[in-house]
């Protein structure tokens, strides 16, 4: 395979929502711990999230000045370092002005992950100069629209990523699903239904691709009961 093996790993309600008040309730915090534990146990080479999730999970200081008066920066992939574990951000317009080359987090499954930005060529030079200055790696996948198959090929070729955890949110998951880029689904299912109309589903399609592709089909690999009425479901792509 010319790309990593991709596992979509998420916490969902019974009705397949990945956001909502249920995630903040203390009675369900055990399932978030299960999620982090399983993340670590997969032993993947990195995790990948959409721009919105990255922004929410790892808040950065306010955006530095967009001024840049240096020479034009070529749209060439930039490998700041080769690392044991990567945090891959889908950030087509260059909105994540990281202040460090790696993730800082209380969970050891995320802390220290070297950041790779997945960009389109439309990002400003000031943003690329900032990433270089901070030691953040980046790769280009598309001029103005993101080409996800190309992005994941480059993750393997340039950084040696063999196994990648796709960890939301719904929009990025939906894009990967529609591009046929999900090999396995790992769901920590919380025993509650999320009634909010605003809650985001596991796969949110239609924003970047038309929603008329054939349904993706998966087969059950394993199920495990979790304490407190939860379930871990693992599906493989057919
Ligand atoms: N329950 C769980 O396990 C779990 C896990 C992760 C996240 N979440 C939750 O999910 C929520 C965020 O989900 P979300 O669906 O709104 O956002 P998201 O998937 O995190 O990020 C979406 C953004 O990523 C970029 N993007 C993703 N796919 C793209 C594509 N194919 N082409 C171009 N750009 C693409 C775009 O950035 P731009 O807007 O910059 O163009 C897009 O707006 C958060 O509340 C988070 O807490 C839940």
């Amino acid at each position: 395979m010319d790309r990593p093996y991709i596992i979509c790993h998420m916490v969902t309600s019974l009705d397949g929502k990945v956001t909502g008040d249920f995630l903040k309730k203390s009675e369900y915090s055990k399932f978030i711990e299960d999620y982090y534990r399983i993340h670590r146990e997969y032993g993947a080479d990195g995790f990948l999230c959409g721009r919105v999730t990255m922004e929410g999970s790892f808040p950065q200081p306010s955006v530095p000045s967009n001024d840049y008066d240096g020479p034009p920066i070529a749209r060439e992939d930039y490998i700041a370092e080769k690392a044991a574990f990567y945090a891959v951000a889908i950030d087509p317009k260059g909105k994540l002005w990281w202040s460090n080359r790696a993730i800082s987090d209380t969970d050891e499954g995320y802390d220290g992950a070297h950041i790779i930005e997945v960009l389109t060529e439309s990002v400003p030079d000031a943003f690329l100069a900032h990433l270089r200055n901070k030691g953040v790696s980046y790769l280009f996948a598309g001029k103005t629209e993101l080409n996800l198959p190309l992005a994941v090929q480059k993750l393997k070729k340039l950084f040696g990523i063999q196994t990648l955890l796709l960890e939301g949110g719904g929009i990025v998951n939906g894009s990967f699903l529609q591009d046929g880029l999900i090999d396995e689904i790992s769901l920590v299912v919380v025993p509650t239904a999320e009634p909010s109309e605003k809650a985001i589903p596991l796969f949110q399609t239609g924003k970047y691709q038309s929603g008329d592709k054939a349904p993706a089909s998966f087969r059950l690999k394993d199920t495990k009961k979790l304490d407190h009425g939860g379930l871990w479901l693992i599906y493989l792509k057919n």
Side-chain angles (χ1 to χ4, degrees):
M1 198 158 52
D2 64 353
R3 63 165 177 81
Y5 182 82
I6 299 175
I7 303 154
C8 181
H9 177 51
M10 298 290 288
V11 181
T12 75
S13 59
L14 287 170
D15 52 339
K17 304 289 175 34
V18 300
T19 62
D21 286 344
F22 75 100
L23 289 166
K24 294 172 209 143
K25 287 193 174 166
S26 57
E27 68 203 269
Y28 298 138
S29 62
K30 167 77 179 59
F31 301 111
I32 310 294
E33 285 168 27
D34 285 323
Y35 177 81
Y36 289 139
R37 174 182 53 77
I38 293 164
H39 163 106
R40 292 191 296 271
E41 287 174 0
Y42 262 116
D45 302 307
F47 71 96
L48 179 149
C49 295
R51 192 266 306 164
V52 176
T53 297
M54 282 297 191
E55 219 163 50
S57 304
F58 311 108
Q60 300 299 306
S62 55
V63 176
S65 159
N66 234 342
D67 293 342
Y68 175 73
D69 55 10
I73 300 177
R75 274 24 184 184
E76 288 167 0
D77 303 327
Y78 177 65
I79 304 170
E81 69 179 67
K82 296 277 181 87
F85 191 62
Y86 294 97
V88 183
I90 298 294
D91 185 19
K93 302 185 187 91
K95 294 182 184 170
L96 297 168
W97 293 71
W98 298 99
S99 58
N100 203 337
R101 45 163 281 285
I103 296 292
S104 177
D105 194 73
T106 52
D107 189 282
E108 65 181 33
Y110 294 89
D111 190 47
H114 175 63
I115 299 160
I116 304 172
E117 280 269 297
V118 175
L119 308 170
T120 63
E121 292 176 24
S122 67
V123 299
D125 280 0
F127 185 67
L128 299 179
H130 174 82
L131 294 182
R132 282 173 175 256
N133 181 256
K134 295 296 175 188
V136 171
S137 296
Y138 57 77
L139 63 82
F140 293 99
K143 286 199 178 301
T144 55
E145 306 291 317
L146 213 50
N147 179 337
L148 288 177
L150 176 63
V152 292
Q153 278 171 26
K154 286 189 174 187
L155 289 175
K156 183 166 185 179
K157 195 171 162 198
L158 302 178
F159 296 93
I161 296 179
Q162 305 279 350
T163 306
L164 182 66
L165 292 167
L166 168 63
E167 296 192 339
I171 289 178
V172 84
N173 289 350
S175 298
F176 271 69
L177 184 79
Q178 290 214 294
D179 279 344
L181 295 173
I182 297 179
D183 303 298
E184 181 170 334
I185 298 175
S186 159
L187 299 181
V188 172
V189 182
V190 180
T192 185
E194 172 53 60
S196 166
E197 279 181 18
K198 290 186 195 147
I200 296 173
L202 176 61
F203 299 115
Q204 176 104 60
T205 53
K207 183 166 179 188
Y208 296 103
Q209 294 93 347
S210 65
D212 56 4
K213 291 209 174 160
S217 155
F218 293 84
R219 65 183 186 281
L220 189 63
K221 181 189 174 199
D222 207 354
T223 64
K224 287 202 174 65
K225 278 187 180 178
L226 301 171
D227 288 346
H228 310 288
L231 203 54
W232 181 29
L233 301 175
I234 309 161
Y235 288 91
L236 301 180
K237 188 180 185 178
N238 273 330

